[in-house]
């Protein structure tokens, strides 16, 4: 039985399943509300270049849905673990719920729904407005959601931060990721190569399950209750 308190440097590597119990829908699982929208068509740079108003309508809809969700017990347990051990969260989520629960060290591999950037002048801004009212930067260009869209490269600094924290951890806990989105899916291998213990929390097996020392088949909140006792 793995316990967080038996380790020193723990990385929680989280995906959409982490936020399911907050009511944030996954893309691939049942009940994906994104089905109303063909999200690949609304979440890519060419769509934004063609019709920024349309892409903003979709992202403001997402802001509304996600903004109504609270951090769940699992997010809180991850935040509380930092009182005992060094904790870094490396997340594929863009919902900001780890930060809302109080985790300080969060690396957002896929950006944030709550941050915008201006590709014309380089400005960035954070807010939790839903819907975001002002869609243009002071320089006049459109704000763009600071999210890694389909076809975008991941941010170098985020990747570097993830690689260094994962390479230095002694326990990696993967939670609620289907492990099919690359390159994020491969990051846990770095922990394995570095000799860390690897634990997967997911109700279902994933294509990466075989690399884990142990798999806990259940929801994020239930399994974190056991792990963080
Ligand atoms: P995914 O949707 O591909 O997979 C979700 C995984 O969570 C599945 O393996 C599923 O079995 C598991 N799961 C379902 N309920 C769970 C629960 N209660 N507890 C634990 N696990 C549970 O998600 P992904 O691997 O993160 O990849 C999807 C991509 O889309 C990522 O970039 C992701 O961040 C992004 N996305 C983000 C959000 C968000 O910010 N909350 C929501 C949807 C998608
Ligand atoms: Zn600007």
């Amino acid at each position: 039985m793995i316990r967080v308190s038996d380790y020193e440097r723990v990385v929680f590597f989280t995906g959409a399943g982490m936020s399911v119990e907050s009511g944030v829908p996954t893309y691939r699982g049942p009940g994906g509300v994104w089905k109303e929208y063909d999200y690949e068509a609304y979440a890519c740079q060419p769509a934004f270049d063609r019709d920024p108003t349309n892409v903003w309508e979709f992202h403001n809809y997402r802001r509304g849905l996600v903004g109504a969700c609270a951090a769940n017990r699992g997010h809180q347990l991850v935040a509380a673990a930092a009182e005992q051990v060094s904790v870094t969260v490396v997340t594929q989520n863009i919902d900001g719920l780890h930060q809302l629960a109080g985790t300080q060290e969060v690396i957002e591999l896929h950006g944030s729904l709550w941050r915008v950037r201006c590709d014309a002048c380089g400005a960035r801004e954070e807010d939790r407005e839903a819907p975001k009212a002002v869609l243009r930067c002071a320089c006049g260009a459109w704000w763009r959601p600071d999210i890694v869209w389909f076809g975008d490269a991941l941010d170098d600094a985020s990747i570097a931060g993830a690689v260094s924290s994962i390479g230095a951890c002694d326990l990696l806990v993967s939670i609620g990721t289907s492990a099919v989105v690359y390159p994020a899916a491969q990051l846990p291998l770095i922990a394995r190569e570095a000799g860390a213990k690897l634990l997967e929390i997911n109700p279902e097996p994933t294509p990466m399950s075989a690399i884990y020392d142990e798999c806990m088949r259940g929801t994020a909140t239930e399994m974190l209750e056991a792990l963080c006792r």
Side-chain angles (χ1 to χ4, degrees):
M1 177 73 201
I2 296 177
R3 277 183 185 214
V4 160
S5 53
D6 291 337
Y7 295 83
E8 287 176 13
R9 292 172 309 280
V10 181
V11 168
F12 292 95
F13 178 70
T14 67
M18 182 78 217
S19 299
V20 162
E21 290 160 279
S22 292
V24 180
T26 64
Y27 286 154
R28 292 175 187 77
V33 297
W34 315 131
K35 283 186 186 118
E36 285 176 43
Y37 286 88
D38 175 8
Y39 61 79
E40 295 198 30
Y42 289 86
C44 64
Q45 187 69 47
F48 187 71
D49 293 341
R50 226 172 17 245
D51 193 347
T53 311
N54 212 29
V55 170
W56 261 113
E57 188 198 349
F58 172 61
H59 284 81
N60 269 334
Y61 165 70
R62 300 179 76 180
R63 278 186 174 226
L65 285 176
V66 175
C69 297
N72 66 48
R73 177 80 183 133
H75 294 108
Q76 287 161 3
L77 286 164
V78 167
E83 289 160 22
Q84 289 183 293
V85 296
S86 151
V87 168
T88 304
V89 168
V90 177
T91 189
Q92 299 167 76
N93 295 342
I94 57 169
D95 56 34
L97 291 177
H98 282 294
Q99 292 92 328
L100 215 56
T103 298
Q104 306 279 333
E105 292 296 320
V106 183
I107 297 171
E108 296 176 308
L109 291 173
H110 294 161
S112 173
L113 189 52
W114 309 113
R115 199 170 54 239
V116 293
R117 67 168 198 256
C118 173
D119 285 342
C121 75
R124 275 190 158 75
E125 195 178 277
E126 282 195 52
D127 66 76
R128 292 189 54 90
E129 261 183 6
K132 185 168 177 63
V134 178
L135 301 180
R136 283 183 188 268
C137 172
C139 82
W142 286 91
W143 285 124
R144 176 212 196 276
D146 197 9
I147 292 172
V148 177
W149 281 335
F150 294 90
D152 288 347
L154 273 67
D155 171 60
D156 286 340
S158 303
I159 289 278
V163 167
S164 90
S165 58
I166 291 172
C169 74
D170 54 1
L171 173 65
L172 178 127
V173 185
S174 163
I175 307 175
T177 171
S178 60
V180 295
V181 178
Y182 284 83
Q186 280 177 321
L187 288 171
L189 283 171
I190 296 167
R192 192 181 161 97
E193 280 156 21
K197 195 88 170 167
L198 268 71
L199 169 66
E200 175 178 71
I201 295 178
N202 197 309
E204 308 286 340
T206 74
M208 294 294 276
S209 292
I211 73 158
Y212 289 86
D213 298 299
E214 286 186 32
C215 297
M216 295 171 87
R217 297 281 168 241
T219 68
T221 55
E222 281 170 3
M223 299 300 109
L224 280 164
E225 290 284 2
L227 184 67
C228 298
R229 260 181 311 141

